[in-house]
Amino acid sequence: MNDSPPAERPLDQRVFDEWPDAVRTLFDGSSLESKTGFTASLLTVDTSGHVRTSLLGVGELYAPDSRTLCFALWPQARATRAIAQHGRAALSFVCDAAFYQVQLLVAPLAAVAGDDSGLVYLTGSIDTAESQSVQYARLTSGVTFELEGEGKTVLDRWERQIEHLKQAAAAASR
């Protein structure tokens, strides 16, 4: 006979429809230099049914409110074409020792006056979302990177992109 206490649930899985505080802070568009290295995987499905991944940094992601994520993509990117066809994407990333996967319903944002970046701005609303963590192991990162060479140039570009995302998000909410 086994008298040991029942094992704790090894997987802590949480479903949410609003960004948790740690994620909102990550995607708030501020302090980009201190968040450099963070990478999220944007997953889309192309016309052939193949899953495609685009890697995005904090300079390409902005959460204007608790249920929305705006992001910037290059117009020629496969993800941009797939989203234009299906209006859906999934974002996965590691934050605050948990793995997140968020299904997004995506729509285009209007162009921003004075923006000559050539980027396409999109807004996604949370369709379904969950985070997962385990008590016996702490996720410390997902895909990460270091800026090399022209890092300052990239940070400057990210600052402009975030400003344009903020402007586009504000215009869409009016």
Side-chain angles (χ1 to χ4, degrees):
M1 181 166 183
N2 184 351
D3 290 333
S4 61
E8 289 187 41
R9 188 169 177 218
L11 177 65
D12 180 17
Q13 188 171 14
R14 298 174 190 256
V15 175
F16 60 91
D17 61 1
E18 291 189 340
W19 297 115
D21 290 341
V23 176
R24 282 287 306 270
T25 299
L26 181 62
F27 297 150
D28 69 2
S30 70
S31 305
L32 296 181
E33 188 170 4
S34 69
K35 299 172 185 174
T36 298
F38 169 84
T39 307
S41 297
L42 182 73
L43 304 158
T44 56
V45 178
D46 68 16
T47 56
S48 301
H50 296 112
V51 175
R52 303 294 182 180
T53 303
S54 297
L55 300 177
L56 303 177
V58 292
E60 297 155 321
L61 301 161
Y62 170 64
D65 60 50
S66 64
R67 297 174 186 252
T68 307
L69 183 68
C70 299
F71 50 99
L73 295 175
W74 294 106
Q76 68 273 22
R78 292 182 295 195
T80 306
R81 292 191 303 272
I83 289 170
Q85 278 196 305
H86 304 291
R88 300 185 65 82
L91 191 77
S92 61
F93 55 93
V94 172
C95 178
D96 201 25
F99 173 77
Y100 287 82
Q101 186 160 43
V102 182
Q103 304 293 322
L104 298 167
L105 301 174
V106 184
L109 285 168
V112 175
D115 176 19
D116 61 356
S117 68
L119 293 168
V120 173
Y121 298 113
L122 303 159
T123 183
S125 58
I126 296 174
D127 182 25
T128 62
E130 66 182 29
S131 67
Q132 299 176 13
S133 61
V134 292
Q135 305 221 341
Y136 57 83
R138 183 176 181 277
L139 288 174
T140 58
S141 69
V143 176
T144 59
F145 68 93
E146 292 180 12
L147 291 176
E148 295 182 353
E150 299 182 23
K152 175 74 171 113
T153 303
V154 172
L155 282 170
D156 290 344
R157 178 172 47 93
W158 281 2
E159 293 287 346
R160 287 189 306 276
Q161 286 173 196
I162 290 296
E163 276 310 308
H164 293 145
L165 284 170
K166 287 178 179 180
Q167 292 171 20
S173 67
R174 289 186 204 130

